[in-house]
C-alpha cells in the first residue's frame, strides 16, 4: 500500500513533461541535478535558524534596542481575581454585556471594574515593544542578507535579463552550488518562521501569514523537485527585495523615529507595488505560464506551480490594500503604523491615566508609544 502511494506520488507525469523520466535527471558527466533528498537538510537547518535567532535577539537586537532608545510603556496590571482569570482563560478575552453582568455578581465588582480588569488583562498578553523590535531586527537582517546573496546568485545569469532563457533546455538543467545553498537557506528560513509562528507577534493577518508560509514552502520545494530552479531563484530574490525595507521601517517605528519610519515606508510601498503587482504578474507569471507551453504540453506540475503562484499573488493584492491604506494615512497627516498590529487598549474613557509619566496623558497609543503626528519633528 505504502509502496503504491510512493510510486504514484513520484510518477513522472506529475512532476515532469511528457516523454521525460527521473532517469534523465541523474547526475552524469560532472553535471549535478536537483533531487528531492536534497531538501532533507532544510529541517535541521530550520532548527539551527531558531537557535541563531535566539542568540541574535539576545546579543544583537536587545543592545540595538537600547541604543535606539526603545522604551516600554508601563502597563497597569490586572489585580488577581480567580473568577475573572478563569473566564479569561477558558471562555474568552472579551466578555459580552450579559457575561459582564454575570461576572460582576460572581466577583463582587461593578460592571465597569470588570471591563477595566479585562482591558488590563488583554494588555498584559500583548507582546512587548522590545519583542516586536527584536523580531523585526531578525527578519530585517535575514531578508537583507538573502536579497544581496540572491542577487549575487542570479545577476550574472542570462535568464535574469532574458526570461525565455529560464526554460532553455528544460528540464535537463543542472544546478550549481550557489543555487543549491540559496534554495536550502531560503527554505530553511521559511520552515523556521512556520515553527515559530505560534510564539511570534500575532497580527491581524495571522491566517494569511500561515497561508503565505505554507504556500512558499510548497512552491520552493516543488520548484526544486520539478527543476523549476531558474524561475525559483528569480521569485525568491523578487520577494526579498522589499521585505527588508518593511522590517527596517518597523524597527524605526518601535524606536519612535517616526520621520525615518515614514520615509522608509514610502520607499517600501513603491518597491512592493512595483515588484509584487507589476513585475511578478506581468513578467514572472507570464514567464511561468506562457513560455513553458512553447516547449511542451501542460502537465500537472505546470498547473500546480502556477496555482500556488496565484495564491501568492492574491496575498500580495491583500497586503497591497493594507499598504495603500497606511500610505493614505501618511498622506493625510496621520501616523503610519502597521495596520496588522493590534493597538494597545487605553482606559482614558474612564478617566484613568493609562501611560506612565507626564505629557502623554489621555493621548492615544500605538506600539506602546503615544501617537506622534507627522508634524512632530524628531532628530533622526
Amino acid at each position: 500500500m505504502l509502496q503504491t502511494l510512493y510510486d504514484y506520488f513520484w510518477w513522472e507525469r506529475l512532476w515532469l513533461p511528457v516523454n521525460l523520466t527521473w532517469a534523465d535527471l541523474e547526475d552524469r558527466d560532472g553535471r549535478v541535478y536537483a533531487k528531492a533528498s536534497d531538501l532533507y537538510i532544510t529541517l535541521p537547518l530550520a532548527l539551527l535558524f531558531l537557535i541563531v535567532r535566539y542568540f541574535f535577539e539576545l546579543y544583537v537586537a536587545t543592545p540595538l534596542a537600547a541604543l535606539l532608545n526603545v522604551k516600554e510603556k508601563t502597563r497597569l496590571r490586572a489585580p488577581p481575581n480567580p473568577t475573572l482569570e478563569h473566564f479569561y482563560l477558558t471562555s474568552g478575552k472579551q466578555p459580552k454585556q450579559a457575561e459582564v453582568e454575570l461576572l460582576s455578581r460572581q466577583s463582587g465588582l461593578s460592571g465597569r471594574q470588570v471591563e477595566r480588569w479585562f482591558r488590563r488583562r488583554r494588555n498584559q498578553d500583548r507582546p512587548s515593544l522590545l519583542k516586536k523590535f527584536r523580531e523585526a531586527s531578525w527578519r530585517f537582517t535575514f531578508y537583507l542578507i538573502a536579497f544581496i546573496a540572491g542577487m549575487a546568485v542570479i545577476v550574472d545569469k542570462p535568464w535574469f535579463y532574458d526570461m525565455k532563457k529560464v526554460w532553455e533546455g528544460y528540464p535537463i538543467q543542472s544546478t550549481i552550488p550557489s543555487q543549491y545553498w540559496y534554495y536550502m537557506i531560503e527554505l530553511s528560513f521559511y520552515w523556521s518562521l512556520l515553527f515559530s509562528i505560534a510564539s511570534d507577534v500575532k497580527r491581524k493577518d495571522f491566517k494569511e501569514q500561515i497561508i503565505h508560509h505554507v504556500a512558499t514552502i510548497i512552491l520552493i520545494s516543488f520548484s526544486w523537485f520539478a527543476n523549476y530552479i531558474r524561475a525559483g531563484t528569480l521569485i525568491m530574490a523578487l520577494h526579498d527585495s522589499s521585505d527588508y525595507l518593511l522590517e527596517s521601517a518597523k524597527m524605526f517605528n518601535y524606536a519612535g523615529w517616526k520621520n525615518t519610519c515614514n520615509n522608509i515606508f514610502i520607499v517600501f510601498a513603491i518597491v512592493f507595488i512595483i515588484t509584487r503587482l507589476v513585475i511578478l504578474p506581468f513578467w514572472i507569471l507570464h514567464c511561468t505560464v506562457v513560455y513553458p507551453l512553447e516547449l511542451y504540453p501542460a502537465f500537472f506540475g505546470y498547473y500546480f506551480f502556477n496555482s500556488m503562484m496565484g495564491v501568492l499573488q492574491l496575498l500580495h493584492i491583500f497586503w497591497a490594500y493594507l499598504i495603500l491604506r497606511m500610505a493614505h494615512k501618511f498622506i493625510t497627516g496621520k501616523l503610519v503604523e502597521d495596520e496588522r498590529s493590534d493597538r494597545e487598549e487605553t482606559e482614558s474613557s474612564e478617566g484613568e491615566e493609562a501611560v506612565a509619566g507626564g505629557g502623554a496623558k489621555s493621548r492615544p497609543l500605538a506600539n506602546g508609544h503615544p501617537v506622534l503626528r507627522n508634524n512632530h519633528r524628531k532628530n533622526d
Side-chain angles (χ1 to χ4, degrees):
M1 176 66 176
L2 291 178
Q3 184 62 42
T4 301
L5 291 175
Y6 179 86
D7 293 340
Y8 183 78
F9 182 80
W10 292 111
W11 183 37
E12 287 94 342
R13 295 291 68 77
L14 291 178
W15 302 90
L16 301 173
V18 65
N19 298 328
L20 288 168
T21 67
W22 294 118
D24 297 315
L25 298 178
E26 293 180 357
D27 298 346
R28 63 174 65 88
D29 301 327
R31 296 171 66 87
V32 179
Y33 298 92
K35 306 175 189 64
S37 59
D38 293 335
L39 301 186
Y40 292 157
I41 195 176
T42 60
L43 294 179
L45 280 179
L47 297 179
L48 180 61
F49 262 120
L50 294 176
I51 295 172
V52 172
R53 173 180 175 176
Y54 172 80
F55 287 105
F56 175 90
E57 292 184 351
L58 186 63
Y59 294 110
V60 178
T62 301
L64 181 59
L67 183 64
L68 293 177
N69 202 29
V70 176
K71 292 183 178 180
E72 288 292 347
K73 180 182 84 69
T74 301
R75 293 175 175 175
L76 298 174
R77 298 184 63 83
N81 189 304
T83 300
L84 301 184
E85 183 70 23
H86 178 74
F87 184 94
Y88 182 87
L89 296 175
T90 60
S91 301
K93 299 180 179 181
Q94 293 182 314
K96 298 177 181 178
Q97 185 59 40
E99 293 170 328
V100 169
E101 295 173 0
L102 177 61
L103 290 170
S104 175
R105 292 193 296 270
Q106 292 176 345
S107 63
L109 301 175
S110 68
R112 176 165 292 190
Q113 288 174 321
V114 170
E115 292 173 346
R116 180 186 302 123
W117 188 95
F118 274 92
R119 272 195 297 273
R120 292 181 179 179
R121 186 64 181 84
R122 287 193 296 270
N123 283 339
Q124 285 177 216
D125 281 353
R126 284 187 167 83
S128 68
L129 201 62
L130 179 59
K131 177 179 174 63
K132 292 179 179 180
F133 181 88
R134 292 191 301 192
E135 181 179 310
S137 299
W138 166 248
R139 297 192 184 197
F140 163 76
T141 302
F142 175 83
Y143 288 136
L144 178 60
I145 294 174
F147 174 63
I148 295 172
M151 291 304 297
V153 169
I154 64 176
V155 73
D156 62 338
K157 305 299 186 294
W159 57 86
F160 180 71
Y161 304 96
D162 183 358
M163 293 290 181
K164 286 193 173 183
K165 291 187 180 296
V166 166
W167 306 105
E168 194 174 78
Y170 179 83
I172 315 299
Q173 296 173 338
S174 58
T175 62
I176 57 178
S178 60
Q179 291 174 324
Y180 170 84
W181 284 111
Y182 186 35
Y183 254 80
M184 297 307 110
I185 291 173
E186 284 275 355
L187 182 55
S188 300
F189 180 74
Y190 279 101
W191 273 121
S192 73
L193 290 184
L194 192 62
F195 294 158
S196 64
I197 198 167
S199 60
D200 286 343
V201 175
K202 298 289 191 303
R203 303 186 187 278
K204 294 177 182 178
D205 64 344
F206 179 73
K207 293 180 181 178
E208 289 81 4
Q209 283 286 349
I210 293 178
I211 294 172
H212 174 267
H213 295 341
V214 171
T216 301
I217 289 170
I218 292 174
L219 265 174
I220 295 176
S221 301
F222 176 82
S223 65
W224 186 262
F225 296 161
N227 217 17
Y228 274 45
I229 296 173
R230 293 181 181 180
T233 54
L234 293 174
I235 295 167
M236 290 188 295
L238 184 79
H239 282 74
D240 291 335
S241 65
S242 62
D243 288 341
Y244 72 91
L245 291 170
L246 175 61
E247 299 304 330
S248 63
K250 290 180 186 178
M251 291 168 61
F252 285 112
N253 182 41
Y254 301 147
W257 294 32
K258 304 304 177 183
N259 290 336
T260 303
C261 166
N262 292 342
N263 292 332
I264 294 176
F265 178 80
I266 290 175
V267 177
F268 158 74
I270 294 172
V271 173
F272 185 95
I273 297 299
I274 292 175
T275 56
R276 309 292 181 92
L277 299 187
V278 179
I279 296 178
L280 185 65
F282 296 108
W283 271 269
I284 304 296
L285 271 175
H286 183 267
C287 172
T288 61
V289 172
V290 176
Y291 294 159
L293 298 182
E294 297 176 0
L295 303 175
Y296 53 80
F299 62 105
F300 171 80
Y302 165 87
Y303 291 116
F304 180 78
F305 181 83
N306 287 299
S307 295
M308 296 305 297
M309 287 293 294
V311 171
L312 282 184
Q313 189 59 53
L314 291 176
L315 289 173
H316 295 156
I317 294 172
F318 168 74
W319 283 318
Y321 163 73
L322 296 182
I323 290 168
L324 292 174
R325 191 163 69 173
M326 290 195 294
H328 177 262
K329 287 186 176 183
F330 172 75
I331 293 171
T332 55
K334 297 181 180 179
L335 174 69
V336 173
E337 62 185 55
D338 194 344
E339 285 285 339
R340 303 172 301 157
S341 297
D342 290 330
R343 294 184 179 181
E344 189 94 358
E345 294 181 85
T346 67
E347 302 178 33
S348 57
S349 61
E350 299 181 18
E352 294 195 15
E353 297 174 3
V355 294
K361 297 178 182 179
S362 73
R363 291 167 63 181
L365 300 175
N367 297 312
H369 288 297
V371 169
L372 302 177
R373 301 302 177 189
N374 282 328
N375 56 6
H376 176 82
R377 294 298 177 187
K378 180 178 182 70
N379 294 327
D380 293 344

